[in-house]
């Protein structure tokens, strides 16, 4: 059988630790036998980031913008312990943060559902995709500890000298104050990524804030979404048979729990942080959560939502065989291959991605799993077999 080929490269970003090992095995066992992979390769493993003063991350981000499709392995975000472990020149920033800032993109997280892995909320039969705004609010705040009686004010000083002040509170005693912000430009990019992605994957879009309480701040988010929808997306959504709706965050949470899933749930930065962990946990395993960064210009970067699985890597390095789940990383590859196929008109590539995803699910449903899925597995008459990572990939290849 001839291998499937395509013309425009995919930006391939290699990473760290256990996922770096899985990465090569996935290519060897599931991709290279069937696809003539054309990739522009960037090694984002920590040693190379250190060697290039993190230049390699910036180059990879530029390449994603240029080619429109990237696939990334999980990478270490260094902390003090890692600086020592790897003898780093510096505590380099998170590569994901660098790439996200460069592309000004929005991250969509989606669980991989298998019939034999039951979500904690049984009515969730379709994935809930979380879109988290990634700029501002409490993540870029200013905070002051108030020591005693004081008056706290908000002050905005315009370039022309005009000043606008608003009282926050009169303190009779000690307390705390926090200042947060966001920008129309960032909210617009977020909204555009959400509308684009909803059309892309043909799912309803839900957006929620607390605009009844936050009558200026959260209301601005609501207005920007509503305006963009009315002016640019209403007809496109109708043509695609999908809907956009806004609701209050508390109402939205209640309705999500009662729903069957299937929607994109767009949330402000903090809400998205909290709700994505809730949704990931309720669907089962972190190892089954995929993630895609979508830029407002239409570039896509796919990856697993989990990290480098350090604990497994230390065991692997000590010579043990581990049962690390490769599914989210395989789905990062299928996402990238399918998107390349869609963008360039290579249906064979899209069909391959579909078949590989089905093979992964069928393998799990057939009772061949990795260790993390053992306690979540429920299928009548099947006692699951826990395989190590390589044997699991080979089982998927048999199905494929
Ligand atoms: P992690 O790598 O996601 O792993 C946390 C734990 O979750 C693992 O120890 C394992 O539990 C379980 N797990 C996660 N993925 C799994 C998989 N594919 N198969 C089986 N079990 C899996 O998070 P972490 O240990 O907090 O972070 C490790 C490194 O990853 C850090 O250096 C961090 O900076 C980095 N990180 C990178 C990204 C990214 O690049 N997107 C995201 C998050 C973290 P058990 O040990 O109980 O089996
Ligand atoms: Mg979080």
């Amino acid at each position: 059988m001839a291998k499937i080929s395509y013309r425009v490269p995919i930006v391939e970003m290699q990473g760290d630790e256990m996922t770096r090992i899985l990465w090569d095995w996935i290519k060897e066992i599931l991709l290279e036998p069937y696809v003539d992979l054309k990739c522009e390769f960037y090694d984002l493993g920590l040693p190379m980031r250190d060697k290039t003063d993190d230049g390699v991350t910036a180059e990879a981000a530029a390449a994603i913008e240029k080619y429109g499709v990237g696939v990334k392995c999980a990478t270490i975000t260094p902390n003090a312990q890692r600086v020592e472990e790897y003898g780093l020149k510096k505590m380099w920033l998170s590569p994901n943060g660098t790439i996200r800032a460069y592309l000004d993109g929005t991250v969509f997280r989606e669980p991989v559902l298998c019939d034999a892995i039951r979500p904690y909320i049984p009515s969730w039969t379709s994935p809930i995709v979380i879109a988290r705004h990634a700029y501002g609010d409490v993540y870029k705040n200013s905070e002051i500890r108030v020591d005693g009686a004081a008056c706290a004010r908000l002050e905005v000083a315009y370039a022309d000298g005009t000043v606008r002040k608003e009282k926050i509170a009169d303190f009779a005693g000690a307390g705390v104050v926090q200042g947060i912000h966001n920008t129309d430009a960032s909210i617009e990019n977020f909204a555009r990524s959400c509308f684009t992605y909803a059309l892309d994957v043909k799912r309803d879009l839900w957006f929620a804030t607390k605009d009844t309480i936050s009558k200026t701040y959260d209301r601005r988010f609501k207005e920007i979404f509503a305006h963009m929808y009315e002016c640019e997306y209403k007809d496109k959504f109708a043509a695609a048979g999908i809907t956009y709706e806004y609701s209050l965050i508390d109402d939205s949470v209640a309705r999500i729990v009662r729903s069957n899933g299937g929607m994109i749930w767009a949330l402000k930065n903090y809400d998205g942080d909290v709700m994505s962990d809730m949704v990931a946990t309720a669907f089962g395993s972190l190892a089954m959560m995929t993630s895609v960064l979508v830029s407002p210009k239409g570039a896509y970067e796919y990856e697993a939502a989990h990290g480098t699985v350090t604990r497994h890597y230390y065991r692997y390095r000590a010579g043990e065989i581990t049962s690390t789940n490769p599914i989210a990383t395989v789905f990062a590859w299928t996402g990238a291959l399918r998107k390349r196929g869609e963008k360039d008109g290579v249906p064979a590539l899209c069909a391959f991605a579909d078949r590989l995803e089905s093979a992964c699910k069928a393998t799990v449903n057939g009772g061949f799993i990795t260790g993390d899925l053992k306690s979540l597995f429920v299928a009548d008459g099947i006692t699951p077999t826990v395989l190590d990572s390589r044997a699991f990939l080979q089982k998927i290849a048999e199905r494929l």
Side-chain angles (χ1 to χ4, degrees):
M1 198 181 84
K3 287 191 197 181
I4 302 161
S5 64
Y6 56 95
R7 205 173 44 80
V8 185
I10 289 172
V11 180
E12 174 188 354
M13 289 157 279
Q14 177 56 299
D16 289 299
E17 301 195 311
M18 200 60 221
T19 42
R20 187 177 180 98
I21 309 292
L22 292 179
W23 191 264
D24 289 336
W25 290 348
I26 290 168
K27 285 172 66 182
E28 174 203 327
I29 298 169
L30 293 177
L31 303 177
E32 282 163 352
Y34 312 101
V35 181
D36 191 7
L37 285 180
K38 186 167 180 193
C39 295
E40 194 164 288
F41 182 83
Y42 294 87
D43 184 357
L44 298 197
L46 193 47
M48 186 56 87
R49 279 182 275 148
D50 195 52
K51 191 173 162 197
T52 61
D53 293 336
D54 211 17
V56 66
T57 309
E59 283 169 25
I64 298 167
E65 181 149 274
K66 178 175 170 194
Y67 295 115
V69 182
V71 59
K72 181 182 165 292
C73 178
T75 45
I76 292 169
T77 298
N79 53 18
Q81 183 257 318
R82 299 296 199 167
V83 172
E84 191 158 316
E85 182 183 354
Y86 283 82
L88 301 179
K89 294 180 203 160
K90 207 178 138 180
M91 204 185 290
W92 304 109
L93 296 174
S94 145
N96 290 49
T98 303
I99 294 168
R100 198 165 58 214
Y102 186 94
L103 296 171
D104 200 4
T106 298
V107 172
F108 297 83
R109 274 178 138 205
E110 175 166 349
V112 176
L113 301 196
C114 297
D115 293 337
I117 306 297
R118 302 269 162 86
Y120 288 97
I121 298 182
S123 60
W124 286 3
T125 49
S126 295
I128 294 169
V129 182
I130 299 254
R132 172 183 169 189
H133 185 211
Y135 176 81
D137 301 353
V138 73
Y139 301 88
K140 257 199 171 354
N141 66 0
S142 309
E143 302 184 321
I144 297 177
R145 164 87 173 112
V146 179
D147 295 324
C151 175
R153 287 186 208 93
L154 265 181
E155 179 183 308
V156 175
Y158 290 94
D160 69 0
T162 327
V163 174
R164 170 110 198 260
K165 284 186 193 170
E166 192 74 46
K167 181 158 89 182
I168 298 171
D170 285 316
F171 285 83
V176 279
V177 188
Q178 177 182 68
I180 61 172
H181 80 284
N182 225 298
T183 66
D184 282 12
S186 176
I187 302 166
E188 278 162 14
N189 278 340
F190 174 51
R192 188 169 303 290
S193 295
C194 291
F195 288 124
T196 309
Y197 194 66
L199 281 171
D200 217 29
V201 296
K202 299 211 169 28
R203 290 181 192 277
D204 293 343
L205 177 64
W206 292 20
F207 180 51
T209 73
K210 192 75 178 176
D211 69 298
T212 46
I213 299 297
S214 175
K215 289 182 167 45
T216 303
Y217 197 108
D218 278 18
R219 184 172 166 189
R220 190 68 196 132
F221 282 78
K222 178 183 176 180
E223 284 169 355
I224 287 173
F225 268 76
H227 185 256
M228 195 177 281
Y229 178 66
E230 286 299 323
C231 298
E232 296 180 52
Y233 289 98
K234 203 173 177 176
D235 296 342
K236 292 178 188 159
F237 267 49
I242 57 174
T243 58
Y244 166 68
E245 58 181 288
Y246 173 84
S247 56
L248 272 177
I249 182 74
D250 26 7
D251 181 36
S252 196
V253 169
R255 285 172 51 220
I256 285 281
V257 172
R258 289 194 306 263
S259 79
N260 301 124
M263 70 293 283
I264 296 170
W265 197 18
L267 295 164
K268 288 175 62 196
N269 211 346
Y270 174 83
D271 299 336
D273 186 355
V274 176
M275 289 303 152
S276 66
D277 280 3
M278 189 272 285
V279 167
T281 308
F283 272 112
S285 168
L286 186 58
M288 301 285 274
M289 188 61 84
T290 64
S291 161
V292 53
L293 174 73
V294 181
S295 86
K297 288 182 189 157
Y300 292 73
E301 185 229 20
Y302 295 84
E303 67 173 316
H306 61 76
T308 59
V309 211
T310 310
R311 278 203 293 269
H312 293 213
Y313 180 61
Y314 289 164
R315 295 209 305 266
Y316 169 83
R317 236 181 14 186
E320 273 180 55
I321 289 172
T322 71
S323 181
T324 317
N325 188 339
I327 287 186
T329 307
V330 173
F331 274 63
W333 273 102
T334 53
L337 292 169
R338 183 184 296 106
K339 182 51 72 181
R340 189 76 280 163
E342 282 170 14
K343 277 187 185 262
D344 306 348
V346 189
L349 209 48
C350 303
F352 174 76
D354 292 345
R355 281 199 295 270
L356 179 48
E357 290 182 358
S358 303
C360 289
K361 293 183 185 190
T363 303
V364 170
N365 291 332
F368 296 99
I369 58 171
T370 45
D372 56 304
L373 299 179
K374 196 169 175 203
S375 63
L376 304 165
F377 188 92
V378 193
D380 289 341
I382 301 181
T383 309
T385 310
V386 173
L387 300 172
D388 64 77
S389 301
R390 257 192 96 85
F392 181 67
L393 288 168
Q394 271 146 359
K395 264 285 178 242
I396 297 171
E398 279 172 27
R399 296 264 175 180
L400 185 62

